[in-house]
Amino acid sequence: MLTFYTDLLCIGAGLAGERCAVEAAGAGFEVVCLSLVPARRSHSCCAQGGMQAALGNCAMGEGDCPDIHFQDTVKGSDWGADQEVAWLFAEAAPVEMRRLAHWGVPWNRVEPGVHTYYKGGKPFEKEELEENRGLIHARAFGGTAKWRTCYASDGTGHSVLYTMDNRAAQLGVQVHDRTEVISLIHDDGNCLGAVARSLRTGELVVYMARATLIASGGFGRIYRNSTNAVINDGGAHIAALDTGVVPLGNMEAVQFHPTGIVPTDILVTEGCRGDGGTLLDKDLHRFMPDYEPEKAELASRDVVSRRMTEHMRKGKGVSSPYGDHLWLDIRHLGEKHIRTKLREVDEICQYFLGIDPVKSLIPVRPTQHYSMGGIRTNKDGAAYGLSGLFSAGESACWDMHGFNRLGGNSLAETVVAGGIVGKKIVEFLKGSEVSFPTGIVREQVTKDRERIDALIKGEHGHENVYDVREAMFDVLEYAAGIYRNGDDLERGVGELQEIHERANRIGLKTNGLGANPELALALKMPGMVRLALCVTYGALMRTESRGSHTREDYPERNDRDWLSRTLATWKEGASLPNLTYEDASPVYTLPPGDRGYGGGKIIPRDAAKEDK
């Protein structure tokens, strides 16, 4: 059995994983990152629009500060965020943006003079000051009081990831790519590393580590229609949930992005609307001001997605062979702007739709995009339940996003949380020693081998893994989308329990040898259904509407009964997750109130408390 020993094992080599790795390697510790794909193909590279940080350099960001960023983030979360964490993030973000510039990120910079910008499709003028020449520029994003989204045209994730990977390589961080973690090794409350499977050969490899970080991104691929890459299937979440002691937080909080293109669901950045793009219906009417007069297209993502769906339900969608959609119009921004500052959007439209966005409308509709839920950690990034296990980035419920995250906050979170959690991992490594009991390692490897052999031989049945996945997709589509209700959720939970039983009876049609995608999916499929059950069962039990979780039968945001975070654990042999709850935030610097957009009734927290 090939076994590696290291100080820090990072499961994931995207921005959060490599930022933590850089922190640990810079302190002299050995770091190994595991990745399903080459590091620079991690999903972080797909982020387009930018990273939020209160620099206040540009004219429309004048007067910005971490306090305003903090308030926007908490309001965006619909008061579901940990406010202590949100403040840590807002305060550290400007430092990280400047650090990235020092490491080589080619941020767009302030150019002095009078410039035209668009809002609601109409041109306005702003004047950039000479004293700010060359400072990091920012663009508008949804749910923000100021322009604070730092950007590198619309290839921000690409630029930052390549820079971060260079930095990691300089510090000697090892990346083992085409490697997939299938289980965590743990004993007596301590995480000791992971068992991984080579996607090249199919062989099992053991990684023993004094500290283990999960930074594997989201789990959006439990949905059929998602902007997520196919690698975002929740594999590391499954490994954590299968320990039986590590909880997942707020799994019912799933964000739908307003502008996935039809029919591929590839994302076009919020920067399109931030730069002045508008949403039109089948009559070419700009409808968002009808619902949100102040914020319009730049309300938070959960609000815009709901309003778009509401508008299509009224028969205002554009009919197509792929279902109804709406239009995104960026034509008025002009060819120069689109070909430079929105060049990835331009290429996506040209290559995947065969249209030129300079001349044509872009077909869009809301699609699953981001997971606010994830592995529950404290403010230091330490996972609940196992010492030595940490998580950062989208894989974690840290929890600065609550029930809805603002655009630009997640990409910024990868490096901000990566820096904060990385420092805490260094403190942990300096103050702890770990022994690796060989018996525990052998036991876990044997268990994983037996699981693989059973799938290959069809010992538990011959269910087709792809049929099981399609059945899961069908349930999530009707039960756990943008709008939810008790009847659909109850039915969905019951059907997912049946699908979970089917998932445990999967047998391979192939021989399972070598690079085998059927085996890779079959190993994860029962766990993917468990993640789906965490989403739907959590949504069924949360009888309120908050952020991205919208219950048509409980339309109020209920601060009296539900100002709390859901924690889901799974015991071996169970058919449902065990749900417990904790306070959404240990402190309330910003008391719960109205967001200023989105509407809806609020049941205040000072009303008489009711039992859940």
Coordinates of all heavy atoms in Angstrom, one line a residue, residues 1 182 195 204 442-460 506 519 523 572:
M1 N 0.9 -1.2 0.0 CA 0.0 0.0 0.0 C 0.9 1.2 0.0 O 1.7 1.4 0.9 CB -0.9 0.0 1.2 CG -1.7 1.3 1.5 SD -2.8 1.7 0.1 CE -3.9 0.3 0.2
I182 N -11.8 9.1 -0.9 CA -13.1 8.4 -0.8 C -13.4 8.2 0.7 O -14.6 7.8 1.0 CB -13.0 7.0 -1.5 CG1 -11.8 6.2 -1.0 CG2 -12.9 7.3 -3.0 CD1 -11.9 4.8 -1.6
V195 N -8.0 8.2 2.8 CA -7.8 7.2 1.8 C -8.2 7.8 0.5 O -9.3 8.3 0.4 CB -8.5 5.9 2.1 CG1 -8.3 4.8 1.0 CG2 -8.1 5.3 3.4
L204 N -5.7 2.3 -4.6 CA -5.9 3.1 -3.4 C -4.6 3.5 -2.8 O -3.6 2.8 -2.8 CB -6.6 2.2 -2.3 CG -8.0 1.8 -2.7 CD1 -8.7 1.1 -1.5 CD2 -8.9 3.0 -3.1
R442 N -5.4 0.2 8.4 CA -5.7 -1.0 7.7 C -7.2 -1.3 7.6 O -7.7 -1.7 6.6 CB -5.0 -2.2 8.3 CG -3.5 -2.3 8.0 CD -3.0 -3.7 8.3 NE -3.3 -4.1 9.7 CZ -2.6 -3.9 10.8 NH1 -1.4 -3.3 10.6 NH2 -2.9 -4.3 12.0
E443 N -7.8 -1.0 8.7 CA -9.3 -1.2 8.8 C -10.0 -0.4 7.8 O -10.9 -0.8 7.1 CB -9.8 -0.9 10.2 CG -11.2 -1.1 10.5 CD -11.6 -0.7 11.9 OE1 -10.8 -0.8 12.8 OE2 -12.8 -0.3 12.1
Q444 N -9.6 0.9 7.7 CA -10.3 1.8 6.7 C -10.0 1.4 5.3 O -10.9 1.4 4.4 CB -9.9 3.3 7.0 CG -10.7 4.3 6.1 CD -12.2 4.2 6.4 OE1 -12.6 4.4 7.5 NE2 -13.0 4.0 5.4
V445 N -8.8 1.1 5.0 CA -8.4 0.6 3.6 C -9.2 -0.6 3.3 O -9.7 -0.8 2.1 CB -6.9 0.5 3.5 CG1 -6.6 -0.2 2.2 CG2 -6.2 1.8 3.6
T446 N -9.2 -1.6 4.2 CA -10.0 -2.8 3.9 C -11.4 -2.6 3.7 O -12.0 -3.1 2.7 CB -9.8 -3.8 5.2 OG1 -8.5 -4.1 5.3 CG2 -10.6 -5.0 4.9
K447 N -12.0 -1.7 4.4 CA -13.4 -1.3 4.3 C -13.7 -0.7 2.9 O -14.6 -1.1 2.2 CB -13.9 -0.3 5.3 CG -15.3 0.1 5.3 CD -15.6 1.0 6.5 CE -17.1 1.4 6.5 NZ -17.4 2.4 7.6
D448 N -12.8 0.2 2.4 CA -12.9 0.8 1.1 C -12.7 -0.2 0.0 O -13.4 -0.2 -1.0 CB -11.9 2.0 1.0 CG -12.3 3.2 1.9 OD1 -13.5 3.3 2.2 OD2 -11.4 3.9 2.3
R449 N -11.7 -1.1 0.2 CA -11.5 -2.1 -0.9 C -12.7 -3.1 -1.0 O -13.1 -3.4 -2.1 CB -10.3 -2.9 -0.5 CG -9.0 -2.3 -0.9 CD -7.8 -3.1 -0.6 NE -6.6 -2.6 -1.2 CZ -5.3 -2.9 -0.7 NH1 -5.2 -3.7 0.3 NH2 -4.3 -2.4 -1.4
E450 N -13.3 -3.4 0.1 CA -14.4 -4.3 0.1 C -15.6 -3.6 -0.6 O -16.4 -4.2 -1.3 CB -14.8 -4.7 1.5 CG -13.8 -5.7 2.1 CD -14.2 -6.0 3.6 OE1 -15.0 -5.3 4.2 OE2 -13.5 -6.9 4.2
R451 N -15.7 -2.3 -0.4 CA -16.8 -1.5 -1.0 C -16.6 -1.6 -2.5 O -17.6 -1.7 -3.3 CB -16.8 -0.1 -0.5 CG -18.0 0.8 -0.9 CD -18.2 1.9 0.2 NE -17.0 2.7 0.3 CZ -17.0 4.0 -0.2 NH1 -18.0 4.5 -0.9 NH2 -15.9 4.7 0.0
I452 N -15.4 -1.4 -3.0 CA -15.1 -1.4 -4.4 C -15.4 -2.8 -5.0 O -16.0 -2.9 -6.1 CB -13.7 -0.9 -4.7 CG1 -13.5 0.6 -4.3 CG2 -13.2 -1.2 -6.1 CD1 -12.1 1.1 -4.3
D453 N -14.9 -3.8 -4.3 CA -15.1 -5.2 -4.8 C -16.6 -5.5 -4.9 O -17.0 -6.2 -5.9 CB -14.4 -6.2 -3.9 CG -12.9 -6.1 -4.0 OD1 -12.4 -5.5 -5.0 OD2 -12.2 -6.6 -3.1
A454 N -17.3 -5.1 -3.9 CA -18.8 -5.4 -4.0 C -19.5 -4.7 -5.2 O -20.4 -5.3 -5.8 CB -19.4 -4.9 -2.7
L455 N -19.0 -3.5 -5.5 CA -19.6 -2.8 -6.7 C -19.2 -3.5 -8.0 O -20.1 -3.7 -8.8 CB -19.1 -1.4 -6.7 CG -19.7 -0.4 -5.7 CD1 -18.9 0.9 -5.7 CD2 -21.2 -0.1 -6.0
I456 N -18.0 -4.0 -8.1 CA -17.5 -4.6 -9.3 C -18.3 -6.0 -9.5 O -18.7 -6.3 -10.6 CB -16.0 -4.8 -9.2 CG1 -15.3 -3.5 -9.3 CG2 -15.5 -5.8 -10.4 CD1 -13.8 -3.6 -9.1
K457 N -18.4 -6.7 -8.4 CA -19.1 -8.0 -8.4 C -20.6 -8.0 -8.4 O -21.2 -9.0 -8.6 CB -18.6 -8.9 -7.3 CG -17.1 -9.2 -7.3 CD -16.6 -9.9 -6.1 CE -15.1 -10.1 -6.1 NZ -14.6 -10.8 -4.8
G458 N -21.1 -6.8 -8.1 CA -22.6 -6.7 -8.0 C -23.1 -7.5 -6.8 O -24.2 -8.0 -6.9
E459 N -22.4 -7.5 -5.7 CA -22.8 -8.3 -4.5 C -24.1 -7.8 -3.9 O -24.8 -8.6 -3.3 CB -21.7 -8.3 -3.5 CG -20.4 -9.0 -3.9 CD -19.4 -9.0 -2.8 OE1 -19.6 -8.4 -1.8 OE2 -18.3 -9.6 -3.0
H460 N -24.4 -6.5 -4.0 CA -25.6 -6.0 -3.3 C -26.7 -5.8 -4.3 O -27.8 -5.3 -3.9 CB -25.3 -4.7 -2.6 CG -24.2 -4.9 -1.5 ND1 -24.2 -5.8 -0.5 CD2 -23.0 -4.3 -1.4 CE1 -23.1 -5.8 0.2 NE2 -22.3 -4.8 -0.3
I506 N -26.3 -0.7 -6.1 CA -25.7 -0.4 -7.4 C -24.6 -1.5 -7.7 O -23.9 -2.0 -6.8 CB -25.0 1.0 -7.4 CG1 -26.0 2.1 -7.5 CG2 -24.0 1.1 -8.6 CD1 -25.5 3.5 -7.3
L519 N -17.2 3.5 -12.0 CA -16.8 3.2 -10.6 C -16.7 4.4 -9.7 O -17.2 4.5 -8.6 CB -15.5 2.4 -10.6 CG -15.0 2.1 -9.2 CD1 -16.0 1.3 -8.3 CD2 -13.7 1.3 -9.3
L523 N -19.1 4.9 -6.4 CA -18.5 5.0 -5.0 C -19.2 6.2 -4.3 O -19.4 6.2 -3.1 CB -17.0 5.2 -5.1 CG -16.2 3.9 -5.3 CD1 -14.7 4.3 -5.6 CD2 -16.2 3.1 -4.0
E572 N -24.3 5.6 10.6 CA -24.3 4.5 9.7 C -25.6 3.7 9.8 O -26.0 3.4 10.9 CB -23.1 3.6 10.0 CG -22.9 2.5 8.9 CD -21.5 1.8 9.1 OE1 -20.8 2.1 10.0 OE2 -21.3 0.8 8.4

